[in-house]
Amino acid sequence: MVKVLTGALRTHRWLALMGGGFVLSSIGSGLTFVIVFGELLRLHAPASSLAIAYILSSAPGLLGSKLGQKLCVNKSPFEILIIGELLGFLGLVFPVYGVTSSSVPALLMAECATAFATGMTLPAIYLIFKRGLSESEMPVATGIDTLIFSAHVFFGVGVGALLYGKLSSLALLLVDAASFLASTAFMVIASRNFRWEKDSAEIEIIAELPWCTLSTIQRRGVLLLPMLALVGSPAMALLPVLAPVTGEANQTGIALPLLFARSLGQLFGPFLIPASRFNENSRSNKLIFGCLALFLGCYMLVPYSDSAILALILIFLAHVASNVVFALAIYSVLANFEEQQVTAASAKSYRLQMIVSSMAPLGAGLLADQIGPALALYSFSGVGFVVVGALLLHNHRSPLRQKTSTTSRSSQV
């Protein structure tokens, strides 16, 4: 993976610029993430508020993806990326107000604009990768996402967790604002360096992709991210209150390191997959089921771990496993859909993921207020795991018999 990724970055200047822009904005969004959850814990927000914060950090992407899908029909994908970065910048008004006024509702709304922008830009990103990368370079899409996330982990969440309480939240939000503006400049420069073949530029982008027109392998590719969300989103939403220690100071002290361990595991997961085996592994139901089982097993042990160090290790391992599935899901959409289909397919997968990520954590958070976070986790993520297992078992032969695409381009993956 590393060799393919570095080769692509050297070959495609637009890729390095686009990746650099996203790295900058991801650092800022990581700082905001820490500020939002740190302030919610400081204000003694209940578990349901933490779950709602998790939902609002993703659910607005539903509307954003619908808009982005339509914009891809008649706008340059880089124009959409530029608009998305500017929206993220404007959305910082919510955390600024939340911090200055100690407003829980404003903090809950803090990442709405960023979530909307993320959903809007996602179809454009898939289209750029499909147009600008060769078939052998498709795993690079996951690698770029991992590089961006590494900045989010180390310089956003990690540094933010260390600086939270030492520097003012407003100073950290100012860094976030600067990162969005710098990222916008990078996107403008990247758009001027992006080139594609004439026949590719003239391909008519499909605005809608009816479910009945999809092959078995295509449906599976679209459903991989929603299946991951069905198991993972309740656990991730409840993570800040699954700490193995109690007490006001201790809980706040362990919650942010747990969030960092989660991000660190998400960073390492995709690099465990060799670039040459992405196609084979993306079709392996055993691998996907095993990774989800490891994820859920680690989370179920966290409330009963007898030390903070053990809890951090469990969360790290859980998200190494979950992001193996995440990487394979991204690849499956890019590999199994043609250029004119990929925006609609990615938007459909993202919307299904966001629907699941909105409903399951809300139910888990409300239940956690009544019976505790551990039992709520077992109830929601456990049921999700059973459902995903049934879906994989039901289709365990079909994906392996199905062609990846009706054209030779996808069959070369």
Side-chain angles (χ1 to χ4, degrees), residues 212-252:
C212 61
T213 65
L214 304 184
S215 67
T216 302
I217 190 67
Q218 287 176 328
R219 292 180 181 182
R220 183 179 182 276
V222 168
L223 289 175
L224 278 179
L225 282 178
M227 287 194 291
L228 175 60
L230 190 60
V231 176
S233 59
M236 293 170 67
L238 294 172
L239 176 57
V241 290
L242 288 173
V245 291
T246 58
E248 178 185 336
N250 286 336
Q251 185 187 42
T252 304

Side-chain angles (χ1 to χ4, degrees), residues 43-71:
L43 296 172
H44 309 290
S48 56
S49 294
L50 296 171
I52 291 171
Y54 179 83
I55 293 167
L56 291 178
S57 70
S58 56
L62 283 168
L63 296 176
S65 67
K66 195 70 175 178
L67 176 61
Q69 181 181 339
K70 293 183 177 179
L71 288 176

Side-chain angles (χ1 to χ4, degrees), residues 13-19 76-82 128 183-196:
R13 189 163 184 259
W14 62 265
L15 183 64
L17 288 166
M18 185 183 76
S76 161
F78 273 102
E79 289 180 8
I80 301 171
L81 298 191
I82 292 168
I128 289 171
S183 179
T184 302
F186 270 69
M187 296 304 172
V188 172
I189 300 171
S191 67
R192 296 172 180 171
N193 287 270
F194 186 74
R195 298 290 184 272
W196 59 80

Side-chain angles (χ1 to χ4, degrees), residues 213-292:
T213 65
L214 304 184
S215 67
T216 302
I217 190 67
Q218 287 176 328
R219 292 180 181 182
R220 183 179 182 276
V222 168
L223 289 175
L224 278 179
L225 282 178
M227 287 194 291
L228 175 60
L230 190 60
V231 176
S233 59
M236 293 170 67
L238 294 172
L239 176 57
V241 290
L242 288 173
V245 291
T246 58
E248 178 185 336
N250 286 336
Q251 185 187 42
T252 304
I254 188 61
L256 291 179
L258 282 174
L259 294 174
F260 178 68
R262 183 186 86 179
S263 300
L264 196 62
Q266 290 170 322
L267 165 62
F268 278 95
F271 282 107
L272 296 180
I273 314 171
S276 60
R277 294 181 60 86
F278 260 78
N279 190 42
E280 178 183 350
N281 288 336
S282 68
R283 301 173 179 219
S284 173
N285 288 339
K286 290 182 179 179
L287 175 61
I288 291 171
F289 188 77
C291 286
L292 292 178

Side-chain angles (χ1 to χ4, degrees), residues 43-392:
L43 296 172
H44 309 290
S48 56
S49 294
L50 296 171
I52 291 171
Y54 179 83
I55 293 167
L56 291 178
S57 70
S58 56
L62 283 168
L63 296 176
S65 67
K66 195 70 175 178
L67 176 61
Q69 181 181 339
K70 293 183 177 179
L71 288 176
C72 282
V73 175
N74 50 28
K75 279 191 173 294
S76 161
F78 273 102
E79 289 180 8
I80 301 171
L81 298 191
I82 292 168
I83 294 171
E85 294 302 305
L86 292 175
L87 284 177
F89 170 76
L90 295 175
L92 291 176
V93 65
F94 291 112
V96 169
Y97 179 76
V99 168
T100 56
S101 62
S102 297
S103 170
V104 171
L107 289 170
L108 293 177
M109 293 291 292
E111 296 189 352
C112 279
T114 301
F116 180 86
T118 299
M120 186 184 71
T121 57
L122 189 73
I125 294 171
Y126 274 81
L127 180 58
I128 289 171
F129 283 140
K130 194 70 175 179
R131 284 182 172 176
L133 299 176
S134 67
E135 294 301 326
S136 62
E137 293 172 325
M138 282 301 169
V140 167
T142 297
I144 288 294
D145 181 82
T146 303
L147 282 180
I148 294 168
F149 203 78
S150 67
H152 177 84
V153 171
F154 291 110
F155 301 106
V157 177
V159 174
L162 292 174
L163 295 180
Y164 180 75
K166 298 180 176 65
L167 292 180
S168 72
S169 295
L170 289 179
L172 296 177
L173 288 172
L174 183 61
V175 174
D176 193 359
S179 73
F180 274 111
L181 293 177
S183 179
T184 302
F186 270 69
M187 296 304 172
V188 172
I189 300 171
S191 67
R192 296 172 180 171
N193 287 270
F194 186 74
R195 298 290 184 272
W196 59 80
E197 297 298 328
K198 183 179 179 181
D199 59 343
S200 178
E202 293 179 348
I203 288 179
E204 182 178 357
I205 302 300
I206 295 175
E208 297 295 338
L209 196 62
W211 188 257
C212 61
T213 65
L214 304 184
S215 67
T216 302
I217 190 67
Q218 287 176 328
R219 292 180 181 182
R220 183 179 182 276
V222 168
L223 289 175
L224 278 179
L225 282 178
M227 287 194 291
L228 175 60
L230 190 60
V231 176
S233 59
M236 293 170 67
L238 294 172
L239 176 57
V241 290
L242 288 173
V245 291
T246 58
E248 178 185 336
N250 286 336
Q251 185 187 42
T252 304
I254 188 61
L256 291 179
L258 282 174
L259 294 174
F260 178 68
R262 183 186 86 179
S263 300
L264 196 62
Q266 290 170 322
L267 165 62
F268 278 95
F271 282 107
L272 296 180
I273 314 171
S276 60
R277 294 181 60 86
F278 260 78
N279 190 42
E280 178 183 350
N281 288 336
S282 68
R283 301 173 179 219
S284 173
N285 288 339
K286 290 182 179 179
L287 175 61
I288 291 171
F289 188 77
C291 286
L292 292 178
L294 177 59
F295 170 88
L296 185 57
C298 289
Y299 259 89
M300 286 182 169
L301 292 175
V302 169
Y304 302 106
S305 57
D306 56 4
S307 72
I309 296 298
L310 179 57
L312 293 172
I313 293 173
L314 288 170
I315 293 301
F316 171 77
L317 292 176
H319 285 280
V320 169
S322 71
N323 263 51
V324 168
V325 180
F326 179 80
L328 296 176
I330 293 177
Y331 176 84
S332 294
V333 173
L334 285 171
N336 295 315
F337 289 90
E338 297 305 306
E339 183 178 319
Q340 66 269 28
Q341 300 173 316
V342 75
T343 58
S346 60
K348 186 183 292 289
S349 178
Y350 181 79
R351 284 196 293 272
L352 290 173
Q353 179 192 10
M354 290 302 101
I355 290 172
V356 174
S357 297
S358 299
M359 296 175 63
L362 179 60
L366 293 174
L367 188 62
D369 288 343
Q370 304 299 319
I371 65 174
L375 290 178
L377 166 66
Y378 302 155
S379 299
F380 276 82
S381 287
V383 170
F385 180 73
V386 172
V387 171
V388 170
L391 288 173
L392 291 176

